[in-house]
């Protein structure tokens, strides 16, 4: 109830703010801003519950739900000098704690002595993909939500560490690179009876970017080494009946203790046309199991209206047994429409046709043997910034 009141208050602030999407104080040295989504989803699937990502312990059941996509974020930045500033961001959304308790998403100090060099230290967003750092800000993209087949699995919320960005012009084009290192922690729900807590003690990676005319290209890589602890009824049963250390046994099966993420992305924006395509390959420990995820999206802006279409997919490549029932194979066709009510307010509607051949980690509460089925989702979203 408190979260709903906060969200409605923020929405009213966004409506009253008009064209101004942020507040500046202290001679423009302090900037306060925020973002949010009022989301509503309807599912016709009675045998499984839809989730936005593997960090959500419960999903949207058959019928209507406002839990999946609703969120509120607040951000403050303070410019200390021309080269030095700080940013802090908090967000409330339905996440691994099973409620809407606020989380600290960003908290860093940034030093930019010239346009070609930037350094940050603190809590940073993990931006291995073109869209990763902005995936919580619904106003920043045309869809109701980023494609679950791609962004719903094995995504770090943040890293605690440092990064450095180098930017260089190449004729009329622009090339830039970012390298990062740090630690992180996350909780993923593999099923209703099994969850994994990731203590990522080493997160190292980076990406190379090239911008030419209306095109943006990115190639990225991240290596994540973690101590993974499994809990839940299934972990307890494995320890009791197999007489083994459940963590060791489940880590050998899943390969979660070491992940390598390769990413390629491209985006095109010119006039009314917007195109995006991203592909990831995630290798698990040992390299015998990997996960392919990706999507392509096209949108066409017509004044305040933006219709869009998207195709996304995910597939686990593993020829061995699947005792954890974690193998995923799914693709989704999406059609939607965005209407920009104001310069800081957008209304969206989206239809998803999901073909789930193997649900793995992407659904909650699914019936035994639920495979090779279709689901239809209707989503409504009201995104705002202030």
């Amino acid at each position: 109830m408190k979260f709903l009141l906060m969200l409605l208050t923020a929405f009213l602030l966004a409506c009253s703010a008009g064209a101004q999407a942020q507040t500046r104080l202290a001679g423009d040295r302090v900037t306060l801003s925020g973002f949010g989504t009022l989301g509503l989803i309807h599912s016709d699937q009675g045998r499984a519950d839809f989730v936005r990502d593997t960090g959500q312990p419960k999903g949207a059941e058959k019928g209507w739900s406002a839990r999946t996509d609703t969120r509120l974020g607040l951000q403050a930045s303070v410019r200390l000098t021309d080269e030095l500033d700080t940013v802090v961001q908090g967000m409330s959304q339905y996440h691994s704690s099973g409620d809407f308790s606020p989380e600290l998403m960003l908290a860093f100090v940034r030093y930019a002595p010239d346009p070609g060099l930037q350094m940050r230290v603190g809590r940073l967003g993990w931006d291995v993909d073109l869209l990763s750092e902005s995936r919580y800000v619904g106003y920043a993209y045309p869809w109701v939500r980023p494609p679950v087949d791609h962004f719903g699995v094995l995504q770090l919320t943040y890293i605690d560490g440092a990064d450095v960005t180098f930017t260089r012009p190449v004729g009329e084009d622009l090339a830039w690179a970012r390298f990062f290192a740090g630690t992180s922690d996350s909780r993923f729900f593999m099923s209703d009876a099994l969850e994994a807590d990731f203590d990522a003690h080493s997160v190292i990676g980076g990406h190379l970017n090239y911008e030419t005319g209306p095109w943006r290209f990115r190639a990225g890589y991240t290596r994540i080494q973690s101590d993974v602890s499994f809990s839940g009824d299934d972990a307890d049963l494995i320890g009791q009946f197999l007489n083994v250390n459940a963590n060791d046994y489940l880590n050998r099966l899943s390969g979660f203790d070491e992940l390598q993420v390769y990413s390629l992305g491209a985006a095109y924006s010119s006039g009314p046309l917007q195109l995006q395509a991203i592909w990831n390959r995630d290798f698990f420990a040992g390299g015998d199991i990997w996960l392919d995820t990706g999507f392509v999206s096209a949108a066409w802006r017509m004044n305040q209206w933006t219709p869009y279409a998207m195709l996304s997919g995910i597939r686990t490549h593993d020829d061995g047994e699947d005792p954890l029932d974690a193998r995923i194979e799914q693709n989704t066709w999406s059609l939607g429409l965005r209407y920009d009510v104001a310069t800081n307010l957008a209304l969206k509607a989206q239809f998803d046709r999901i073909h789930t051949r193997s649900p793995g980690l992407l659904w909650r509460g699914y019936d035994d043997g639920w495979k090779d089925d279709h689901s239809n989702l209707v989503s409504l979203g009201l995104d705002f910034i202030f």
Side-chain angles (χ1 to χ4, degrees):
M1 187 64 180
K2 289 182 179 179
F3 173 74
L4 181 60
L5 291 174
M6 289 173 57
L7 190 63
L8 290 174
T9 300
F11 171 65
L12 292 174
L13 285 172
C15 293
S16 64
Q20 185 169 340
Q22 58 188 13
T23 301
R24 297 183 181 274
L25 305 170
D28 288 347
R29 288 193 174 274
V30 179
T31 302
L32 303 178
S33 59
F35 60 90
T37 297
L38 287 166
L40 197 61
I41 185 173
H42 182 277
S43 172
D44 72 346
Q45 181 54 257
R47 301 184 62 191
D49 302 337
F50 175 81
V51 293
R52 180 186 175 107
D53 58 55
T54 55
Q56 294 185 330
K58 294 183 179 180
E61 301 174 351
K62 185 176 183 180
W64 290 97
S65 174
R67 179 172 53 199
T68 306
D69 295 312
T70 300
R71 59 182 29 79
L72 175 64
L74 300 173
Q75 180 171 303
S77 60
V78 180
R79 179 159 294 282
L80 303 174
T81 69
D82 290 342
E83 297 83 19
L84 191 67
D85 71 324
T86 63
V87 174
V88 177
Q89 182 190 101
M91 188 175 70
S92 178
Q93 64 173 345
Y94 181 65
H95 59 96
S96 60
S97 63
D99 55 27
F100 285 82
S101 56
E103 298 176 281
L104 182 64
M105 306 298 286
L106 300 174
F108 61 80
V109 177
R110 174 168 46 203
Y111 177 62
D114 62 67
L117 176 63
Q118 173 187 279
M119 293 174 283
R120 300 188 300 175
V121 177
R123 176 159 291 185
L124 312 169
W126 185 47
D127 65 336
V128 67
D129 291 319
L130 280 172
L131 194 69
S132 291
E133 279 199 309
S134 61
R135 68 186 186 270
Y136 298 116
V137 185
Y139 187 83
Y141 43 78
W143 329 294
V144 168
R145 72 185 68 83
V148 172
D149 295 337
H150 181 76
F151 289 99
V153 179
L154 301 176
Q155 292 280 336
L156 298 178
T157 305
Y158 53 77
I159 64 170
D160 293 324
D163 67 18
V164 57
T165 304
F166 303 96
T167 305
R168 293 292 182 270
V170 183
E172 296 182 354
D173 301 337
L174 189 68
W176 60 283
R178 174 172 291 171
F179 305 97
F180 53 82
T183 63
S184 186
D185 59 82
S186 298
R187 173 174 293 176
F188 297 151
F189 291 85
M190 302 180 64
S191 69
D192 296 318
L194 185 62
E195 59 192 68
D197 287 292
F198 284 69
D199 179 9
H201 53 79
S202 175
V203 181
I204 299 174
H207 48 79
L208 304 176
N209 304 264
Y210 194 81
E211 301 180 15
T212 175
W215 287 98
R216 295 174 58 205
F217 301 96
R218 173 176 292 188
Y221 170 79
T222 305
R223 182 180 181 183
I224 306 168
Q225 295 176 298
S226 306
D227 295 321
V228 186
S229 299
F230 295 86
S231 58
D233 292 343
D234 285 353
D236 294 338
L237 289 174
I238 288 171
Q240 293 172 7
F241 287 96
L242 298 183
N243 195 28
V244 296
N245 183 295
N247 283 333
D248 293 342
Y249 178 79
L250 291 170
N251 267 308
R252 284 197 301 271
L253 288 178
S254 67
F256 282 169
D257 52 344
E258 183 173 330
L259 299 174
Q260 297 187 73
V261 181
Y262 296 84
S263 177
L264 294 174
Y268 175 90
S269 180
S270 179
L273 180 61
Q274 302 173 33
L275 303 174
Q276 293 190 56
I278 296 178
W279 168 81
N280 278 16
R281 173 162 288 183
D282 303 343
F283 282 99
F284 298 87
D288 297 328
I289 306 172
W290 68 89
L291 187 70
D292 282 330
T293 70
F295 72 93
V296 291
S297 169
W300 187 270
R301 179 72 181 264
M302 300 179 294
N303 297 319
Q304 293 172 282
W305 299 92
T306 306
Y308 60 87
M310 180 166 55
L311 172 63
S312 60
I314 180 171
R315 183 184 179 188
T316 304
H317 297 265
D318 179 14
D319 295 330
E321 298 294 327
D322 187 25
L324 300 180
D325 200 23
R327 190 171 298 155
I328 311 171
E329 187 174 355
Q330 177 174 286
N331 63 268
T332 304
W333 283 98
S334 303
L335 292 174
L337 182 66
R338 168 176 172 152
Y339 177 71
D340 283 87
V341 181
T343 54
N344 61 338
L345 195 65
L347 181 63
K348 303 175 184 177
Q350 180 171 311
F351 172 75
D352 297 303
R353 174 71 168 175
I354 307 173
H355 184 189
T356 306
R357 296 174 180 84
S358 181
L361 319 178
L362 278 181
W363 295 78
R364 297 286 174 269
Y366 54 83
D367 296 345
D368 291 340
W370 182 66
K371 292 185 177 182
D372 200 20
D373 197 6
H374 290 84
S375 308
N376 298 305
L377 301 180
V378 175
S379 303
L380 302 175
L382 186 60
D383 295 318
F384 55 90
I385 56 175
F386 59 92

